[in-house]
């Protein structure tokens, strides 16, 4: 900053002199720097309460479960308030048996089948919502929201009634259609049929999330792109592959990731339907951990199984994320 002062030069006329003011201590930018630093820290301060709640409600149970997995915790230890550390004996017992690996294989196939059906049907319904008229779209959205809002246990109870052996609606309809052998069929009597009923239930519950969010994603696609594709002679399939799908790809990746997690850890539908039966043939990893831990009162073993379940889920999701990132890099 400079100021001008008047004086008299040697010829007697006025002269103008420039005086430069000294810079403030700490540099010219010392003033705005402190507010900038405070502004940069503001988002982290706002997130701090949520992070603390998450650490208390999720972090501490995870740490506690990890500690229990290294203990021999049975009813005797609970009654006598004993803490018996047994190292990795629980993990050795679980990983050394064949039951755990059969359950892992079953869980992976069950998750894959459900996610494929959920994403396929949910995508089709979402695209249908984008093409329906206003009234029909509102009616379909209302049905999807009601299905999504239905409590899990209530929905499971309804499906138990629908597929009941003697008075179930499914058997009655199949009998009326001429398939008389299904009039008294026990849907929960075999592994395949039980998984079929549970799959229908989980897919029915999950489709609304995919369909509604995909429809919302389609509303962000500029109409001009479809008009340009139409002028180029593109049909319905060409418009989908060249315009719609590229816009929806990030959404599909993220939704598939969420559905893998949700289906893999599904517990109430399977347990309330048949408690993992018949003969424990429909147990997935969450059911297996509960039955071994709480049902058989081997709490240390159950904690080890649940911790291994988390590790299996992390392996699956990390592989999926790596595949998605690799595909995005190839596209770039």
């Amino acid at each position: 900053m400079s100021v001008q002062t008047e004086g008299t030069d040697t010829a007697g006329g006025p002269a103008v002199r420039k005086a430069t003011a000294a810079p403030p201590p700490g540099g010219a930018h010392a003033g705005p720097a402190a507010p900038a630093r405070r502004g940069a820290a503001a988002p982290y301060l706002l997130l701090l309460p949520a992070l603390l709640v998450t650490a208390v409600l999720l972090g501490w149970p995870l740490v506690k479960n990890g500690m229990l997995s290294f203990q021999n915790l049975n009813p005797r230890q609970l009654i006598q308030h004993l803490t018996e550390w047994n190292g990795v004996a629980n993990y050795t017992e679980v990983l050394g048996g064949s039951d755990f690996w059969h359950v892992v294989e079953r869980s992976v196939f069950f998750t894959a089948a459900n996610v494929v059906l959920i994403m396929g049907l949910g995508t089709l319904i979402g695209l249908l919502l984008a093409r329906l008229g206003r009234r029909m779209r509102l009616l379909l959205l209302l049905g999807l929201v009601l299905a999504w809002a239905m409590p899990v246990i209530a929905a499971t109870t309804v499906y138990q009634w629908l597929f009941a052996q003697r008075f179930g609606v499914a058997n009655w309809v199949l009998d009326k259609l001429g398939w008389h052998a299904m009039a008294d069929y026990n849907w929960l009597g075999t592994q395949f049929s039980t998984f079929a009923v549970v799959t229908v239930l989980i897919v029915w519950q999950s489709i609304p999330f995919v369909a509604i969010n995909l429809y919302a994603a389609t509303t962000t696609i500029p109409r001009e792109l479809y008009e340009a594709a139409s002028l180029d002679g593109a049909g319905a399939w060409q418009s989908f592959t060249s315009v719609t799908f590229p816009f929806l790809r990030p959404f599909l990746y993220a939704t598939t990731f969420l559905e893998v997690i949700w289906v893999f850890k599904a517990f109430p539908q399977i347990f309330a339907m048949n408690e993992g039966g018949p003969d424990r043939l429909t147990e997935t990893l969450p059911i297996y951990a509960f039955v071994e831990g709480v049902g058989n009162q081997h709490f240390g073993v159950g904690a080890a199984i649940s911790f291994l379940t988390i590790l299996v889920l992390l392996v699956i999701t990390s592989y999926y994320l790596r595949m998605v990132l690799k595909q995005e890099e190839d596209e770039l």
Side-chain angles (χ1 to χ4, degrees), residues 68-74 90 293 297-305:
L68 291 178
S69 66
F70 295 101
Q71 298 178 20
N72 180 28
L73 186 61
N74 294 321
N90 294 330
Q297 297 186 342
H298 297 156
F299 301 102
V301 174
I305 296 173

Side-chain angles (χ1 to χ4, degrees), residues 185-273:
Y185 183 74
N186 182 14
W187 288 92
L188 304 181
T190 64
Q191 180 187 35
F192 180 80
S193 59
T194 302
F195 267 135
V197 175
V198 174
T199 298
V200 172
L201 170 60
I202 292 179
V203 170
W204 175 78
Q205 289 179 312
S206 304
I207 281 178
F209 173 78
V210 178
I212 294 174
N213 283 278
L214 189 140
Y215 164 67
T218 59
T219 60
T220 64
I221 303 176
R223 298 292 99 184
E224 294 81 3
L225 297 179
Y226 289 108
E227 295 175 0
S230 178
L231 292 176
D232 291 339
W237 177 249
Q238 288 79 10
S239 297
F240 174 78
T241 55
S242 61
V243 179
T244 306
F245 184 72
F247 271 87
L248 298 182
R249 187 184 291 113
F251 161 80
L252 294 174
Y253 286 157
T255 307
T256 303
F257 174 72
L258 294 176
E259 289 298 331
V260 167
I261 296 176
W262 192 81
V263 174
F264 190 86
K265 65 183 184 65
F267 177 87
Q269 298 93 333
I270 303 173
F271 189 80
M273 184 68 68

